[in-house]
Amino acid sequence: MIRNYITSDAKSIRAIAYSDAERGSMRAVSAVKCNYYIENEPQHCFVMTDEFDKPAGYILCSVNLRRMNELFPSYLAIVKEEDKKLYREQVRLQKKLTAIKSDYPARLSISVLPSFRGKGGAKAMVNALLSHLKDIGVRGVYTVTESEAAVAFCERVGFERVIRIDKTRSVYGIKIITEL
C-alpha cells in the first residue's frame, strides 16, 4: 500500500535509508538521504507499507529547492562531523547540481527494502508522487542515481539522464508539465 508519510514513520525511514547506504553512520546517511525532506516538506513524501502498515520503502520530495539549498548546509554539517569522505562527496555533488535546468525544480529521494524490491511498489510510489506533483503544478523532478540498478529503474519509469556526475552517479529527471 502507498500512503502519505506521517511523523511516526521517521525512524523506519531513517532505517531504510541506512540499509541502502554503502557506508557512513546512520546519522550522516539520514542527514543526506531523508532528514531535510521529512523535517521540512513532509507533505510531499510517501511510503510503501507492508501488511502491518510499517514502511518498507519511501519516496521523499522537495518542491522548494531554493529553501532546500538554503537549509541543506546545516544537514551537511552533521555529515562533516560523522564522515569526512561522505561530506566531501556531498559538497562536490551539490556544486554539480547547480547545473540542473529549471525544467526540474523538484528533487526526490527513493529507497525500498531489498525484500520488497521487484514487486511494483517503487513504481507505484513514483506514480503517486508524479500525480501529486502534477496536481500542485510542479514542472519536473530529478533524482541522483548511485548504482546501475537505480539507473535501470529510473529508465523503466520514464526518467531520462539529465547530467552525468561521475563514473557511478548521474542525475535522472522527468518532466511532468510541459509547455504546449
Side-chain angles (χ1 to χ4, degrees), residues 158-169:
F159 283 64
E160 296 178 349
R161 182 180 284 156
V162 177
I163 59 172
R164 185 174 181 94
I165 296 171
D166 55 37
K167 64 182 180 179
T168 59
R169 295 181 296 173

Side-chain angles (χ1 to χ4, degrees), residues 74-141:
S74 66
Y75 292 90
L76 286 179
I78 295 166
V79 179
K80 187 176 184 179
E81 290 174 16
E82 298 283 323
D83 186 331
K84 302 278 191 240
K85 185 176 179 184
L86 180 60
Y87 172 75
R88 286 189 301 274
E89 288 174 6
Q90 287 299 312
V91 168
R92 281 193 302 270
L93 173 63
Q94 295 308 312
K95 288 179 183 173
K96 296 266 186 169
L97 293 177
T98 60
I100 301 297
K101 296 180 182 178
S102 62
D103 291 338
Y104 308 99
R107 180 177 178 176
L108 72 84
S109 176
I110 185 171
S111 185
V112 175
L113 290 172
S115 60
F116 287 85
R117 292 180 184 161
K119 299 177 182 177
K123 184 176 181 178
M125 287 190 298
V126 168
N127 289 337
L129 177 65
L130 294 179
S131 177
H132 168 73
L133 295 177
K134 185 175 183 178
D135 288 348
I136 62 173
V138 174
R139 294 175 48 146
V141 62

Side-chain angles (χ1 to χ4, degrees), residues 4 24 26 47 56 63 70 79 88 106 109 127 138 144 156 166:
N4 290 47
M26 180 177 258
V47 295
V63 301
E70 288 172 5
V79 179
R88 286 189 301 274
S109 176
N127 289 337
V138 174
V144 178
R156 269 195 317 276
D166 55 37

